Amino acid sequence: MGKRNKFKGKKVLVLGLAKSGHAAADLLHSLGAFVVVNDSSPESGSEEAKALRSKGIVVICGGHPEDILDHDFDIIVKNPGIPYHNSVIQQAEQKGIPIWTEIELSYLVSEAPIIAITGSNGKTTTTTLLYHILNIGGKKPLIAGNIGTVACTVAQNAAPDEVIVMEVSSFQLAGTENFRPKISVWTNLYDAHLDYHGTPEEYALAKSKVTANQTEEDFFIYNADQPEMRPYVERSAARKIPFSLQGKHAEGISADDELIYWQGEPFVKRSIIKLLGQHNLENILAATASAILMDCDKETIENVLSSFTGVRHRMQFVKELKGRTFYNDSKATNTLATKSALSSFKSPVVLIAGGLDRGHSFEELRPYMGRVKAVLALGETADRLIDFASSCGVQHALKADSMENAVQEAFAISLEGDQILLSPACASWDQYPSFEERGDAFIEAVMKL
């Protein structure tokens, strides 16, 4: 408990009363800190606010008072989604107050080592796959972070003989100062969240904080096939474990068409792997390398690789019906993810896509549209998507007014041997509160067939 004592008597402002803010405030209060929680939204009978107040924590909702920083706070713990141009954050930066997200807090209180996984794509699949391997291998893993469980809640109860497998986003990593995982994983780097970070460089710098504090006692697993990551990789002081899909390499973990290699030696046959897609092979290499470094035995790794079929809503096999196979890839909220999904198939695809219109181009999909025989277009981007599909020579490009209608039309157009794929290439918020609810609507519509 020694390192937790540093919060006793400290004044901490928790900015944002969401799940992570509530957990952070609760933890800091239990460690003896003086905590104030501030949220811009109206309170409206918030159960979280009521619960925190019952413990003596000050909660201020409905806006940011101009004098909020007059309390001389030692630390600010902010919700990851709050941008850095927020007025309170800007004032705090001018005053030199450390601004953290709760994953910094989770590191500072955790007695268990942390495996931190980040990347533009593949974080959730890698995190989930690694958790399964470690769990079956008897390594007592705990899963936390951006995947759905607040990291500091998991960390405060973690024992030294456990290990936290933590999915971390660029938003979370931007607010770290001391964060030092035992193993860090960076799956890939593509431009994303530029509305938040401002520039591709700032986004990449935030991602690189996953390894920034590591030393030669730690491990850094990274994508060696992306030269754009090299400058950030070179700055890491950790022991570097590259992964590559470009044939056998003497160092790290690599793959050719037949085998996965560890340090240049054959490790497992690719034919045992159940998870579809070249992009998922990157995730498999990263998770496998992490498991090897955690002393998981080869038999355990093989058993999981031969049974793991993916994360719900990410290239999730749903059903086979009359020779058609249905896949739910609702988590594909950008064109890069949909491109990866399309590249997984050799047989004809009936694609259900579309959603929130952020004005982004679909051009990245053009080289893969040759395998698409039909498009059912949903949501705000439907008309643009139909125009794009037609320009690619897709036989059928139709607008669907609901998910159920899209699935019915896709089934009617398809033939035996076709793949029917929901991979929207867009966020869900024009029609659904989350990509999970969109994926569930797809599954429900498939089951109705």
Side-chain angles (χ1 to χ4, degrees):
M1 289 290 288
K3 62 181 180 178
R4 303 184 182 194
N5 292 338
K6 67 188 298 178
F7 296 106
K8 192 170 181 63
K10 297 286 186 185
K11 290 184 176 179
V12 185
L13 173 63
V14 174
L15 207 57
L17 183 59
K19 192 163 60 169
S20 65
H22 180 250
D26 214 6
L27 170 60
L28 288 161
H29 176 72
S30 72
L31 297 176
F34 170 74
V35 182
V36 175
V37 179
N38 179 213
D39 194 281
S40 60
S41 301
E43 187 167 327
S44 304
S46 164
E47 290 300 317
E48 289 91 348
K50 191 188 299 182
L52 292 174
R53 279 207 191 94
S54 71
K55 297 179 179 183
I57 295 171
V58 177
V59 181
I60 303 165
C61 293
H64 304 305
E66 288 184 15
D67 61 351
I68 189 84
L69 295 182
D70 290 353
H71 290 280
D72 295 325
F73 290 107
D74 298 297
I75 305 159
I76 291 178
V77 177
K78 79 172 190 70
N79 182 287
I82 296 173
Y84 284 84
H85 58 69
N86 174 280
S87 59
V88 178
I89 297 298
Q90 290 194 326
Q91 289 175 53
E93 285 180 329
Q94 289 166 7
K95 287 174 173 275
I97 303 170
I99 300 162
W100 296 347
T101 53
E102 59 86 23
I103 63 161
E104 172 75 3
L105 191 57
S106 68
Y107 167 72
L108 292 171
V109 302
S110 179
E111 301 291 343
I114 293 169
I115 302 173
I117 298 164
T118 198
S120 303
N121 283 307
K123 296 186 293 294
T124 301
T125 299
T126 305
T127 303
T128 308
L129 174 56
L130 177 57
Y131 172 81
H132 282 305
I133 297 171
L134 295 178
N135 191 41
I136 290 171
K139 301 299 178 183
K140 299 185 180 177
L142 306 166
I143 200 161
N146 200 48
I147 201 164
T149 312
V150 180
C152 69
T153 302
V154 174
Q156 67 180 306
N157 300 311
D161 64 339
E162 295 175 311
V163 58
I164 301 174
V165 184
M166 189 182 293
E167 179 184 323
V168 290
S169 69
S170 59
F171 295 5
Q172 291 170 316
L173 286 166
T176 57
E177 188 178 339
N178 306 285
F179 185 69
R180 180 189 161 195
K182 184 66 185 169
I183 299 173
S184 66
V185 177
W186 191 354
T187 60
N188 46 46
L189 175 64
Y190 301 101
D191 288 352
H193 306 303
L194 300 189
D195 53 342
Y196 183 95
H197 293 286
T199 66
E201 292 74 24
E202 286 298 318
Y203 170 65
L205 277 170
K207 287 288 190 193
S208 71
K209 291 183 85 170
V210 76
T211 185
N213 295 313
Q214 288 188 296
T215 72
E216 65 278 355
E217 296 176 0
D218 307 314
F219 295 97
F220 175 33
I221 300 166
Y222 66 93
N223 191 330
D225 295 338
Q226 285 199 302
E228 53 268 52
M229 285 176 62
R230 202 166 292 145
Y232 306 99
V233 171
E234 287 170 356
R235 294 174 203 167
S236 173
R239 283 178 279 178
K240 297 179 181 71
I241 309 291
F243 68 82
S244 173
L245 305 185
Q246 306 300 315
K248 181 172 75 171
H249 286 254
E251 294 182 353
I253 192 164
S254 53
D256 59 21
D257 291 341
E258 302 294 326
L259 293 163
I260 290 175
Y261 302 88
W262 174 249
Q263 306 294 21
E265 296 295 324
F267 186 71
V268 294
K269 291 180 179 178
R270 280 187 57 180
S271 58
I272 70 163
I273 294 169
K274 281 285 190 292
L275 194 58
L276 281 177
Q278 193 78 348
H279 63 295
N280 275 325
L281 186 56
E282 290 184 352
N283 305 329
I284 287 164
L285 294 186
T288 299
S290 303
I292 292 169
L293 295 174
M294 287 297 296
D295 297 322
C296 274
D297 61 81
K298 183 179 172 182
E299 186 181 357
T300 295
I301 295 170
E302 284 184 324
N303 285 344
V304 177
L305 293 184
S306 63
S307 60
F308 184 78
T309 56
V311 176
R312 187 169 172 81
H313 307 297
R314 189 71 183 100
M315 286 300 286
Q316 175 195 0
F317 168 76
V318 176
K319 190 177 181 66
E320 187 175 331
L321 181 65
K322 296 187 177 178
R324 288 86 159 162
T325 311
F326 293 83
Y327 287 93
N328 166 27
D329 193 36
S330 184
K331 199 172 190 293
T333 57
N334 56 42
T335 51
L336 175 69
T338 297
K339 181 179 81 171
S340 296
L342 290 175
S343 70
S344 303
F345 298 109
K346 291 183 173 63
S347 51
V349 174
V350 177
L351 176 65
I352 300 173
L356 184 72
D357 196 345
R358 286 171 161 162
H360 65 292
S361 169
F362 295 109
E363 279 302 314
E364 198 172 11
L365 300 178
R366 189 174 292 275
Y368 301 88
M369 293 299 287
R371 64 197 71 186
V372 176
K373 65 184 287 185
V375 170
L376 280 304
L378 292 164
E380 291 178 358
T381 58
D383 291 333
R384 286 207 299 117
L385 191 55
I386 287 169
D387 290 344
F388 169 72
S390 299
S391 77
C392 295
V394 174
Q395 298 169 30
H396 305 282
L398 308 170
K399 195 170 182 175
D401 57 14
S402 68
M403 185 65 76
E404 188 170 355
N405 173 232
V407 169
Q408 288 170 346
E409 289 294 330
F411 186 67
I413 291 168
S414 64
L415 298 171
E416 198 170 319
D418 290 351
Q419 318 292 326
I420 298 176
L421 169 69
L422 170 68
S423 189
C426 301
S428 63
W429 301 317
D430 58 333
Q431 293 181 299
Y432 300 94
S434 66
F435 70 79
E436 291 95 342
E437 291 193 37
R438 176 171 64 187
D440 289 340
F442 174 74
I443 293 168
E444 188 178 336
V446 172
M447 294 310 173
K448 280 186 178 176
L449 292 175

